[in-house]
């Protein structure tokens, strides 16, 4: 009789145990699915909220990109102008010039006024000034400074003057000892050329003074009219 009871109870006991096991397994699977769903939702919300570069209108992105590109181009040109000047000054033992933002703004304002005609006209301001024009806009800042600096072969140190019918005032302004700051700008002309200007403070090329040390009693520097066929300076 006891054996029969055991045979009857045994299947019921196993059934209950299996049922409990299945319930626990289902509960565990439900927890895993819920945690996975929560994790995916949180990750998706972070991905949607994080990028700032996609905010705003496409036109705003383009305008910001153009402004940044122009600013980087101006910065590169400024460094190139300054470096080219200081290379020339170092060759004759003069201290380096420093870039001046106000001088650069002055140069930029005058260059913008010359975009329409790119005439070799000085601004007649309170600074020393070198200007340049070429019929093609492929000239780099270092090329412009090199053209000015190459006038050194026309400068007679002993006489403190230019050779007859030659220009050397651009070179002497570059190496003028009392000039400590420079600012430059260049623009593309409406006719396809390029116009460049550099201004210096304090100005140089004072009559009767030497670029390598200010003193009186010497012949002043002569500035001739620049050619205007292919390119020129003033």
């Amino acid at each position: 009789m006891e054996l029969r009871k055991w045979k009857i109870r045994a299947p019921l006991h196993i059934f209950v145990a299996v049922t409990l096991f299945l319930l626990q397994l289902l509960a565990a699977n439900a927890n895993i699915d819920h945690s996975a769903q929560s994790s995916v939702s949180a990750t998706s919300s972070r991905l949607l909220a994080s990028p700032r570069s996609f905010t705003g209108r496409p036109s705003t992105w383009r305008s910001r990109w153009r402004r940044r590109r122009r600013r980087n181009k101006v910065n590169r040109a400024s460094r190139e102008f300054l470096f080219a000047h200081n290379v020339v000054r170092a060759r004759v033992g003069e201290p380096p010039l420093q870039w001046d933002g106000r001088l650069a703004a002055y140069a930029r304002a005058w260059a913008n006024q010359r975009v329409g005609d790119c005439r070799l006209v000085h601004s007649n301001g309170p600074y020393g000034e070198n200007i340049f024009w070429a019929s093609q806009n492929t000239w780099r800042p270092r090329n412009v400074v090199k053209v000015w600096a190459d006038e050194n072969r026309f400068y007679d140190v002993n006489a403190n003057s230019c050779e007859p019918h030659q220009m050397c005032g651009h070179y002497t302004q570059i190496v003028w000892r009392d000039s400590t700051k420079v600012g430059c700008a260049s623009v593309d002309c409406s006719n396809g050329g390029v116009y460049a200007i550099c201004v210096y403070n304090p100005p140089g090329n004072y009559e009767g003074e030497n670029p390598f040390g200010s003193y009186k009693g010497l012949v002043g520097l002569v500035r001739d009219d620049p050619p205007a066929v292919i390119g020129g300076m003033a």
Side-chain angles (χ1 to χ4, degrees):
M1 188 66 179
E2 292 297 330
L3 182 58
R4 290 181 181 178
K5 289 182 179 180
W6 180 84
K7 287 183 178 180
I8 295 174
R9 291 177 181 175
L12 181 61
H13 177 72
I14 294 173
F15 176 79
V16 172
V18 171
T19 302
L20 292 175
F21 175 78
L22 292 175
L23 290 175
Q24 292 176 356
L25 183 62
L26 291 174
N29 290 335
N31 291 334
I32 293 173
D33 293 340
H34 178 71
S35 62
Q37 184 177 2
S38 300
S39 177
V40 172
S41 299
T43 304
S44 300
S45 64
R46 286 196 298 270
L47 289 175
L48 292 175
S50 60
R52 295 183 178 180
S53 58
F54 294 95
T55 59
R57 298 179 179 179
S59 59
T60 304
W61 307 340
R62 287 192 292 268
S63 61
R64 290 178 181 175
W65 180 79
R66 291 193 187 101
R67 287 196 300 269
R68 184 177 300 175
R69 185 178 181 183
R70 286 195 298 267
R71 185 165 56 249
N72 291 338
K73 183 177 180 180
V74 170
N75 290 339
R76 287 196 300 270
S78 303
R79 290 192 294 268
E80 192 170 335
F81 269 121
L82 180 62
F83 180 78
H85 274 82
N86 287 334
V87 167
V88 178
R89 291 175 66 90
R91 289 172 181 167
V92 293
E94 296 296 337
L97 296 172
Q98 294 182 350
W99 187 262
D100 189 283
R102 288 179 295 182
L103 295 180
Y106 179 92
R108 173 65 56 183
W110 182 251
N112 288 336
Q113 295 184 39
R114 301 266 65 86
V115 171
D117 54 20
C118 280
R119 293 175 54 199
L120 287 171
V121 179
H122 282 282
S123 67
N124 295 322
Y127 308 114
E129 190 170 289
N130 285 343
I131 58 178
F132 172 91
W133 168 81
S135 59
Q136 297 180 348
N137 60 359
T138 57
W139 288 73
R140 297 287 300 272
R142 63 174 179 268
N143 303 133
V144 174
V145 177
K146 184 179 184 302
V147 171
W148 292 335
D150 284 346
E151 293 179 0
N152 66 336
R153 64 184 183 273
F154 303 128
Y155 174 64
D156 187 340
V157 178
N158 296 323
N160 189 35
S161 63
C162 304
E163 293 182 1
H165 310 295
Q166 298 293 341
M167 289 188 298
C168 65
H170 302 96
Y171 167 70
T172 54
Q173 173 58 85
I174 291 176
V175 298
W176 199 268
R177 176 172 296 179
D178 293 342
S179 296
T180 59
K181 298 180 180 179
V182 65
C184 306
S186 62
V187 293
D188 293 335
C189 305
S190 300
N191 59 7
V194 62
Y195 179 92
I197 174 175
C198 288
V199 291
Y200 308 83
N201 194 40
N205 286 354
Y206 283 102
E207 185 175 357
E209 295 185 3
N210 187 284
F212 305 111
S214 299
Y215 59 91
K216 299 180 180 180
L218 297 179
V219 179
L221 299 176
V222 179
R223 174 175 287 173
D224 297 331
D225 293 332
V229 180
I230 298 178
M233 300 168 291

